[in-house]
Amino acid sequence: MYRADLHCHSTCSDGTYTPIELLHLAKNVGLSALCITDHDTLDAYTEETYKEAENLQIKLFMGVEFSSRYLGHNIHILGYGVTQSNSILEFCKRHVKRRKDRNLAILQKLKRLSFPIEEEELYQIGLTRVIGRPHIAQIMVEKGYVNSIQDAFDRYLGDSRCCYVIDDSFTAQETIDQIHEAHGKAFLAHPHVIRKTQIITSLLALNFDGIECYYSLLDPAQEKKWLKIAHEKNLLISGGSDFHGTVKPQIQLGCSYVDENAVEKIFNRH
Ligand code: AMP
Ligand code: ZN
Ligand code: FE
Ligand code: FE
C-alpha cells in the first residue's frame, strides 16, 4: 500500500535522526514516499540525501515547515514542492538570525529563574542546525533543571509559559508568498493546535493551497473535521507524523500519512 509521510524533522532542525537515517527508517516502516519538513531550513536536501533515497527507492519530496505569526499567534506553515531558490534560501537565513535573538531572550529569562545556560552551550549542539526550544529543553534536562523535555515545555518553554518568547517571525502572508515564489504549495500545519475558531477562519481566508488534515496521533473525528473544511474551501489535503525521533518517543514515523492521489495533487507541476 502506498503511504507518504509528509511531515517529519531531521537533525537539520530539532529531530534526532539524520536525513539519511530518516530514509532508512522510512524504508523499514514500509513508506513509499517521504517529505522532510525541517523548521525553517532546506538543509536536509543534499545530493547525498537524494542519492540514498534513490538507492532505497523512497520517493523524496522537498518541503519545509516555517514558523510564522498571525494576529499574535504562532502559526506553522508547510511549504511543499518548493525549489531551492535564492529567495527562499535567503528567507531561511533570516529565520536563523531571528531565532538567534529569540533563543538568547529565552536564555535570559531562564537565567533570571536561576537556570543558567550559556549561549555557547546551546550552539554546541551543532552550528549548522536550526536551533530552537526543544534544544533548550534538552539542555535543561541534562543540567537537572527539569525531569523531561515535556516538563520543560509544560513549566517554562511552552507557548505563553513564563520563559516563552513570542516568535518575532514573518507574517503568515509573507511566508505563503515566499513559498509561492519558490513554486511551492503552502499548507496550514496541524490546525487543531490553534484553539480560536475565528483565527482559523480568518487564516483560511489567506491564499493557502491546503490543510494538514491527517496529523500524528490526531483522532479520526478531528481528521474528519479538517477534511470537511478542506473540501468546503476547495483546499488540498496533506498528512504526516511530525516525527522528531527520540525527543518525542510516542510518535513513530509513518503513524500518519496520505495516499498517492493526495501526493500527486500536492507535488505535480502544472
Ligand atoms: P520553536 O521552533 O523553537 O518555536 O520550537 C517549536 C518546536 O518545539 C515544535 O515543533 C515542537 O517540536 C516543540 N514544542 C512546541 N510546543 C511544545 C509543547 N508544548 N510540548 C512539547 N514540545 C513542544
Ligand atoms: Zn519541531
Ligand atoms: Fe509544527
Ligand atoms: Fe513539525
Side-chain angles (χ1 to χ4, degrees):
M1 189 181 74
Y2 185 103
R3 288 185 299 138
D5 187 336
L6 303 182
H7 190 160
C8 64
H9 297 270
S10 79
T11 48
C12 295
S13 67
D14 57 6
T16 60
Y17 287 72
T18 65
I20 301 281
E21 287 167 347
L22 279 178
L23 288 168
H24 282 262
L25 191 57
K27 186 77 189 171
N28 288 342
V29 300
L31 289 171
S32 309
L34 191 70
C35 183
I36 304 173
T37 51
D38 274 310
H39 296 287
D40 308 329
T41 181
L42 290 166
D43 286 353
Y45 295 93
T46 63
E47 213 174 295
E48 190 197 4
T49 311
Y50 277 111
K51 258 192 202 141
E52 194 65 13
E54 210 179 309
N55 285 341
L56 295 169
Q57 291 182 301
I58 297 281
K59 183 81 188 146
L60 179 66
F61 294 107
M62 196 175 284
V64 57
E65 182 177 22
F66 285 122
S67 300
S68 76
R69 62 186 157 81
Y70 183 76
L71 303 178
H73 293 259
N74 182 4
I75 306 293
H76 285 184
I77 300 179
L78 294 157
Y80 286 132
V82 289
T83 52
Q84 281 165 311
S85 66
N86 287 338
S87 122
I88 206 158
L89 292 174
E90 187 53 41
F91 189 64
C92 291
K93 272 195 199 154
R94 288 163 66 198
H95 268 286
V96 170
K97 163 83 179 80
R98 67 102 192 146
R99 275 178 176 276
K100 207 169 157 46
D101 297 341
R102 177 181 183 237
N103 289 337
L104 193 58
I106 295 173
L107 295 189
Q108 277 164 356
K109 283 195 166 190
L110 286 170
K111 198 170 194 167
R112 268 181 240 132
L113 292 183
S114 302
F115 296 134
I117 296 172
E118 294 307 317
E119 201 183 8
E120 297 80 55
E121 289 177 81
L122 187 57
Y123 290 97
Q124 267 168 17
I125 288 168
L127 283 174
T128 58
R129 297 182 64 167
V130 168
I131 301 285
R133 284 180 287 163
H135 302 104
I136 297 174
Q138 178 66 41
I139 296 180
M140 290 177 75
V141 174
E142 285 162 17
K143 287 184 172 271
Y145 298 162
V146 286
N147 295 323
S148 65
I149 288 178
Q150 196 54 55
D151 192 24
F153 273 97
D154 290 347
R155 289 162 68 190
Y156 305 107
L157 303 176
D159 293 25
S160 76
R161 295 281 179 252
C162 59
C163 295
Y164 176 69
V165 173
I166 181 116
D167 243 308
D168 184 21
S169 57
F170 305 95
T171 64
Q173 186 61 66
E174 282 173 305
T175 306
I176 295 170
D177 291 346
Q178 278 291 337
I179 291 168
H180 286 163
E181 202 179 307
H183 309 289
K185 292 200 171 82
F187 278 62
L188 179 60
H190 41 65
H192 65 282
V193 306
I194 309 162
R195 294 283 170 209
K196 292 198 174 132
T197 312
Q198 318 94 283
I199 293 291
I200 297 192
T201 308
S202 63
L203 246 183
L204 287 178
L206 303 182
N207 51 339
F208 279 103
D209 301 284
I211 309 180
E212 187 176 47
C213 296
Y214 298 99
Y215 177 78
S216 203
L217 307 174
L218 199 62
D219 71 76
Q222 276 275 335
E223 288 175 355
K224 236 173 135 177
K225 171 184 160 182
W226 298 110
L227 288 166
K228 186 166 175 271
I229 291 174
H231 184 75
E232 283 166 3
K233 298 193 179 289
N234 205 15
L235 290 164
L236 298 175
I237 285 154
S238 77
S241 60
D242 205 4
F243 179 72
H244 279 72
T246 55
V247 286
K248 282 190 186 173
Q250 73 280 20
I251 292 158
Q252 301 303 314
L253 190 70
C255 69
S256 192
Y257 53 86
V258 286
D259 63 14
E260 196 164 12
N261 182 36
V263 167
E264 269 294 309
K265 287 182 180 154
I266 299 171
F267 296 99
N268 67 359
R269 299 221 189 284
H270 292 298

